Amino acid sequence: MKTIVGFILLLLSTQFHGQSLGVIGKWNTIDDVTGKVVSVVEIFEHNNKIYGKVIEIFNPKSRNRVCENCTGNDKNKAILGLTVIKGLVKEGNEYCNGKILDPKSGKLYKCYITLEEPDKLKVRGYIGISLFGRTQYWERLR
């Protein structure tokens, strides 16, 4: 009987552990065309807002690239280490009212993210209203 109870508690603790992590953590970004992992973005909280920084780039040719097309403080900064998710605020089950930077184009888009599953993050960047944008799904790094 103790073994069964212990097993159930173990299952429940792993279930709640994944949920308690929320969006904070390291996420594999997935290329829309190839479906391959391109980079790792670490999502963190600072001053009650959510940010995401590129901490790994898998293509060796891209590791030393800079954000040539970016503007302001991000102009010519190394993409590795660049903060690409900026200032999201939690509203219900969604983090919104912030921006996401596309290092390829240098453009900033409005953004929201939601946790679809404990290990699956929906990242939506858009112009104006959410209807005009693009969605990616990132996988939690294990």
Side-chain angles (χ1 to χ4, degrees):
M1 185 65 166
K2 287 182 181 180
T3 305
I4 293 172
V5 172
F7 181 71
I8 291 171
L9 288 174
L10 178 65
L11 285 176
L12 288 174
S13 69
T14 58
Q15 176 85 16
F16 291 123
H17 175 69
Q19 291 175 350
S20 69
L21 291 174
V23 300
I24 304 298
K26 295 177 182 175
W27 296 88
N28 288 320
T29 67
I30 312 297
D31 184 89
D32 295 336
V33 177
T34 66
K36 293 183 179 180
V37 176
V38 177
S39 65
V40 175
V41 171
E42 183 172 19
I43 296 180
F44 59 95
E45 184 174 356
H46 179 70
N47 291 334
N48 296 320
K49 292 188 178 185
I50 297 297
Y51 297 87
K53 180 186 289 192
V54 178
I55 62 167
E56 180 69 59
I57 298 173
F58 292 105
N59 182 345
K61 295 177 183 175
S62 299
R63 281 196 189 122
N64 296 322
R65 290 190 50 224
V66 296
C67 196
E68 296 171 359
N69 297 321
C70 289
T71 59
N73 291 335
D74 293 330
K75 178 84 174 156
N76 293 320
K77 274 193 176 173
I79 294 173
L80 187 60
L82 189 64
T83 300
V84 292
I85 295 176
K86 302 170 184 261
L88 298 177
V89 178
K90 186 170 174 62
E91 287 188 9
N93 292 331
E94 183 175 278
Y95 294 83
C96 55
N97 298 321
K99 303 279 184 174
I100 190 164
L101 173 66
D102 178 358
K104 288 181 183 176
S105 69
K107 294 183 180 178
L108 269 173
Y109 297 95
K110 291 182 180 179
C111 175
Y112 73 83
I113 61 176
T114 54
L115 197 60
E116 294 278 303
E117 298 170 13
D119 295 329
K120 184 178 180 183
L121 186 67
K122 178 181 179 181
V123 180
R124 178 113 178 121
Y126 59 95
I127 298 171
I129 60 173
S130 179
L131 183 64
F132 303 109
R134 187 175 99 201
T135 299
Q136 287 187 334
Y137 291 92
W138 296 357
E139 299 169 350
R140 189 180 302 275
L141 180 66
R142 288 281 169 201

